Each structure stands twice: as C-alpha cells, then as structure tokens.
Amino acid sequence: MNSFSKFLEEHPTYSATRTLDDLRATEFARLDGRGHVYLDYTGSGLYTASQLREHTEMLAMHVLGNPHSASPSSTEMTRQVERTRASILKYFNGTDDYTAVFTLNASGAIKLVAEAYPFEVGGRLLLSTDNHNSVNGIREFASAKGAAIDYAPLTRPDLRIDMPAIEALLAQADPARFNLLAFPAQSNFSGVKHPLSLVDTAHHKGWDVLLDAAAFVPTNRLDLQLVTPDFVAVSFYKMFGYPTGVGCLLIRNSAMGKLKRPWFAGGTVNFATVQGRMHVLAPGEAGFEDGTLNFLSVPAVEIGLAHLERTGMDTIQARVNCLTDWLLSKMLELRHSNGRPMVRLYGPTTSTMRGGTVTVNFYDPNGQLLDYRRIEELAGLEGISLRTGCFCNPGAGETAEDLTEDDMRAGLAHGEDITLPLFLQVMQHRGGKSAGAVRVSLGMASNFADIERFLGFASRLRDQTTLTIGLVTFDIESCRVIRDGS
Ligand SMILES: Cc1ncc(COP(=O)(O)O)c(C=O)c1O
C-alpha cells in the first residue's frame, strides 16, 4: 500500500476535503507551478488568485478618495469601509455586541488595548507564558502604571496552560480593581489550542480578557456569541494572505468604556481646540482609528472573508487536522541508523486540541543539535518555505527547552549585544540546550504532497553530522562568527 492510501485509510475524513485540491489547482496554481512547498501559514496565509482579481477590479471600477467626507469619491469609500466592518462583525458573529476597529495588524490591535487599559496599583496583568511578544509587551504599560504582573506557567512537555496554576493566579485578583488576562487562542509556537473556557472563568473572577486570535482564526471559527472576550486581536493576512496592513481589534461593547485613549489624532475627535487645549473623542471605533486608514486595502478583507466562507472553515480544519496528525506521527518515527530519534517535537504529539503548527529541532546521531538556520537554508534550496528562530514567543521556547533564569542571565550578561544566534551559542556552552527551533505550519492550501516533500527533506538529515550547531562559532565577546566549519 502506498503512503497516500495508508494516509487515507487512517484519515478517512480527508476525502471530504477534496474541494481544497480543486482550489489548489486553480486558485493556488502558482505553488505547483513553481514546485514550491509552502509551510509557513502561521507566518502568513496565502491569497487566492481571485481575491486579487476581485480587489483590483473593484479598485479599477470606482473613483475612491479618502473616506469620511461628503464628496462622491469619499462617500463611496466610506460605504466600502463600513460594509467591510459589518462583514467582519458578521463573520465573527459579534454584530450586536462588538465594535470592530481597523488596525495595521494584530500587534496594533493589542497595543490599542495595552495603552488604553486602566492598569492601576492594586490591579493585575496576567499573561500566559505562551504569548507572542506583541502580547508580552503589554507588561510595559502595566508596570508603568503600577499593576502587578504575573505569568501563568505551561505544562511540559505538552506546553499547555497549567490550569490549576492559572486558576490560582486568577483567584488573586481584587475584583474591585482593573485586571487583564491576555492569552492566545492558539499558540504560534506549539500549535496548542488553549481552552477558550478560560474567558468565562476569568470573567467570573473579576478579570477582563484580551484574546490573541491571530494564529487561531486562519483554521478555526471564532464565534463571539459562544466565547465573549472583551478584546480580540486579529491580522487578516494570516487568515487569507491578502491584504497585508489591515488587522482589527474587536471590542466587546460592554468593555468599551474602560479604555481611555492616551492621546487623540486626526479622525479620532469630534472636536479639538488649540486655544481651549481640549478635545472630545469620537465615540465607538472612530475614537481608536488614528489618522487615515489603509482604506484601499480594507475592502479586500470583505473579499477574503467571503472566500473563507465559500471554502468552509470546517473543511479547512478537517484537512489541516488530518495532515498534522500524519506529519506528527511520521516526524516522531524518524530515526538515525543507530536507532536514536532524529527529531525532538515541542508540544502535543497528537492533533487533539492543537492546530497545524509543528515545531521541532533536529539532532545528529550523537544527540547533538543541528543548526536550524542551516536547515532553513537547505529546505529553501529544495523549494520548501518553513520558518526557524523563536517565532517572537520566548516564553513557549524557554519552557520547551527548560531554559532557566540562570540561562537567561548568562545570555543577558552580554548586555545589548545579545541576539538569538549569540544566545544559542551561549546555550551550547552551557550543556547544549537550544534557543530556537524549526517550525512548519499548515493551512488552507496544504496537501499530502507538501507533507511528503517535507518528510523526504527531513529524512535526508538521517545520520547527518555536518550541520551541528558547534560548526558555526561565535566569538562570545564580539558576537562575530569566528569559525564557520559548515
Ligand atoms: C499568536 C500571534 N499573535 C500575534 C501576532 C502578531 O501578528 P502581527 O505581526 O500581524 O501583528 C502573531 C504573528 O505571528 C501571532 O502568531
């Protein structure tokens, strides 16, 4: 039996996702046309050919000017922006209870909350250790205003939020103060889906919740009637590849009044005076959208959402689930000739409560870490796009490799010169822990052939000894490469 037949036998639901093969052949023809294996969907989704066509046709058809004025060009643009806003709220089932604010990206959405949330002495910020740096950065605003800051730990080796620990931390809040919990619905490091029931649990204990949905919504539906975070951050290019430069913050209307914007800008005020030194902020989303929106790109979001609806999130999710399950099991089977495992996988080893983001490190037959930067290069030579590094998620990486505060101090002893490559080198001197890894992530256009191409590439690392990390040596003082034996 060939491997595809075996895969189908083990994953019969894959057959129900055939429409995605048609989409791959038509809308994503450039992938096979170029022999490209794209495995970086957590970095960015891919756009279809027709999304681009529809958007450019719309641009070519209309005369569009800066919105929010009474001219015909402005009125038409305002209509398109507001239509798109309504389509976003409808997509997330939040029309009656949420406000959608356009931002540059998910980071921009998170920062809007971070700078406007009324952190205070006696209040708290609770972050999961698994968080993108754009969420970790909230702590700078919280500490400036005197709020207590805690991290909820992760379990090892699964890298899931430690539920008893987070519940104990949630119980520490004084409900009379402002308390904010921020966590990702899905990890961009391990693919773990964290329990969305945490939103309700936190609410009952006097917390507001910021849900980072950036890595979740490309392959999962988020229904804001079922899960009711106060703030949700999204980047649209991660969902459907195009446009870049447009994200959104969804604010639960009941939480809107808590946010106090630290400044005003063009477009955010109903009234501002120089002589009187005062301003009146516009209500609703307008008060949060600083300056001119990326208005020509905004309508491409409605086109992208319609394409997701047509394709069907259940179909996308079923496919990604089957492929992830197969990829995980085959990666874990990889062995050197001496029987030692080739791969160390971070996070859950099955597809249960995890998405299609798979992060690993490769080792040589003696258990020495292979340099993930060389692996990315070699994959690139074979037309495979994957991602390496720490994926802006230091907490998940530190837990995955059991990096300690002492390890961090050893790195930070290098002061401002510290970079991930230098830190990796320092860790090699401290017993061979890794800092960084190889990430492959699946999405709407992924197919079995992609997985096979990647597994073929990975299997060629069998018995490999020339890619170990020690071959590239940094001068710890100057941070320069002093020996490149690769
Ligand atoms: C979970 C998560 N949160 C936030 C972000 C930040 O997204 P952006 O860079 O689009 O602002 C990312 C990007 O990779 C992410 O994966």
Side-chain angles (χ1 to χ4, degrees):
M1 191 187 276
N2 70 20
S3 55
F4 188 52
S5 309
K6 186 145 192 308
F7 166 73
L8 286 179
E9 193 179 274
E10 285 178 23
H11 301 92
T13 47
Y14 190 80
S15 307
T17 70
R18 286 232 175 84
T19 48
L20 294 175
D21 291 322
D22 301 337
L23 210 65
R24 167 91 176 220
T26 52
E27 295 286 353
F28 298 105
R30 63 192 186 280
L31 283 173
D32 294 318
R34 293 177 162 270
H36 200 124
V37 173
Y38 185 79
L39 293 173
D40 191 21
Y41 288 87
T42 304
S44 172
L46 293 180
Y47 49 81
T48 60
S50 62
Q51 276 172 262
L52 299 186
R53 219 168 27 244
E54 266 187 66
H55 186 224
T56 46
E57 277 167 11
M58 185 283 292
L59 293 176
M61 184 190 309
H62 294 283
V63 179
L64 298 168
N66 197 325
H68 301 131
S69 186
S71 69
S73 57
S74 182
T75 308
E76 175 57 22
M77 193 66 251
T78 305
R79 189 183 71 81
Q80 300 246 8
V81 167
E82 294 315 318
R83 229 176 74 164
T84 304
R85 198 189 304 279
S87 74
I88 293 167
L89 287 167
K90 183 157 179 277
Y91 180 84
F92 291 111
N93 202 12
T95 303
D96 296 331
D97 312 297
Y98 282 81
T99 295
V101 176
F102 285 113
T103 61
L104 185 59
N105 47 33
S107 305
I110 293 160
K111 188 167 178 227
L112 280 179
V113 177
E115 66 187 10
Y117 191 78
F119 291 114
E120 57 179 334
V121 175
R124 311 187 81 90
L125 169 66
L126 178 56
L127 301 166
S128 72
T129 296
D130 180 4
N131 256 325
H132 194 275
N133 269 338
S134 296
V135 179
N136 287 322
I138 302 173
R139 70 185 188 211
E140 299 303 299
F141 291 97
S143 73
K145 292 182 183 166
I149 301 166
D150 284 302
Y151 273 101
L154 307 176
T155 57
R156 292 183 67 222
D158 270 13
L159 304 181
R160 299 192 186 276
I161 293 176
D162 181 329
M163 293 310 285
I166 198 169
E167 277 169 22
L169 286 162
L170 287 169
Q172 289 181 11
D174 173 354
R177 303 286 186 182
F178 287 104
N179 306 296
L180 183 68
L181 165 69
F183 73 99
Q186 183 170 317
S187 172
N188 73 322
F189 182 94
S190 63
V192 161
K193 291 185 194 180
H194 295 298
L196 297 178
S197 58
L198 263 178
V199 175
D200 267 356
T201 310
H203 279 159
H204 286 129
K205 294 187 169 160
W207 294 76
D208 297 309
V209 181
L210 164 60
L211 185 69
D212 174 5
F216 180 77
V217 287
T219 52
N220 299 274
R221 186 167 278 286
L222 178 64
D223 183 331
L224 293 175
Q225 296 305 305
L226 302 178
V227 189
T228 57
D230 302 275
F231 315 108
V232 182
V234 165
S235 272
F236 290 110
Y237 70 87
K238 290 204 192 284
M239 296 177 76
F240 35 74
Y242 178 85
T244 50
V246 186
C248 105
L249 171 65
L250 295 157
I251 304 176
R252 194 156 71 127
N253 293 336
S254 57
M256 175 74 89
K258 294 184 184 171
L259 299 181
K260 304 282 176 250
R261 292 227 64 200
W263 84 320
F264 63 94
T268 66
V269 284
N270 278 349
F271 184 75
T273 138
V274 169
Q275 302 289 336
R277 300 277 172 105
M278 55 82 69
H279 69 275
V280 178
L281 209 64
E285 66 273 351
F288 291 87
E289 291 175 349
D290 295 336
T292 303
L293 290 180
N294 186 353
F295 58 85
L296 291 179
S297 292
V298 163
V301 171
E302 187 184 3
I303 294 168
L305 289 172
H307 144 66
L308 271 192
E309 292 280 21
R310 273 194 309 274
T311 309
M313 191 51 84
D314 291 345
T315 307
I316 297 168
Q317 196 175 65
R319 170 162 291 221
V320 166
N321 211 46
C322 296
L323 293 174
T324 304
D325 206 64
W326 180 262
L327 174 63
L328 288 169
S329 64
K330 294 293 154 196
M331 293 279 276
L332 290 170
E333 281 171 17
L334 288 172
R335 289 279 183 283
H336 290 292
S337 301
N338 65 7
R340 293 181 82 159
M342 293 169 59
V343 164
R344 173 151 176 230
L345 171 76
Y346 301 111
T349 54
T350 71
S351 58
T352 308
M353 275 300 276
R354 64 119 70 230
T357 302
V358 176
T359 295
V360 298
N361 261 312
F362 289 89
Y363 292 83
D364 81 358
N366 303 313
Q368 295 289 313
L369 179 69
L370 300 191
D371 190 332
Y372 53 78
R373 296 162 295 185
R374 293 299 313 284
I375 288 171
E376 181 170 6
E377 264 171 44
L378 291 175
L381 293 175
E382 296 195 18
I384 300 173
S385 287
L386 43 75
R387 188 167 291 259
T388 64
C390 74
F391 325 116
C392 298
N393 190 331
E398 286 163 22
T399 308
E401 272 292 330
D402 201 17
L403 295 172
T404 61
E405 213 174 317
D406 270 358
D407 292 329
M408 293 302 139
R409 269 194 237 292
L412 291 172
H414 295 275
E416 305 237 317
D417 290 331
I418 191 68
T419 58
L420 187 62
L422 176 59
F423 184 68
L424 182 58
Q425 190 69 32
V426 175
M427 287 307 101
Q428 291 310 295
H429 285 275
R430 288 174 64 86
K433 291 180 188 175
S434 182
V438 178
R439 182 178 83 183
V440 297
S441 52
L442 314 183
M444 178 190 307
S446 297
N447 64 14
F448 186 73
D450 291 338
I451 306 300
E452 287 296 273
R453 276 268 298 277
F454 173 72
L455 288 170
F457 165 75
S459 70
R460 285 190 287 284
L461 299 172
R462 176 168 296 118
D463 298 336
Q464 176 63 255
T465 52
T466 58
L467 297 175
T468 50
I469 206 90
L471 289 177
V472 178
T473 307
F474 289 85
D475 174 11
I476 303 264
E477 297 304 323
S478 68
C479 312
R480 293 213 179 82
V481 173
I482 53 174
R483 181 169 69 89
D484 189 346
S486 49

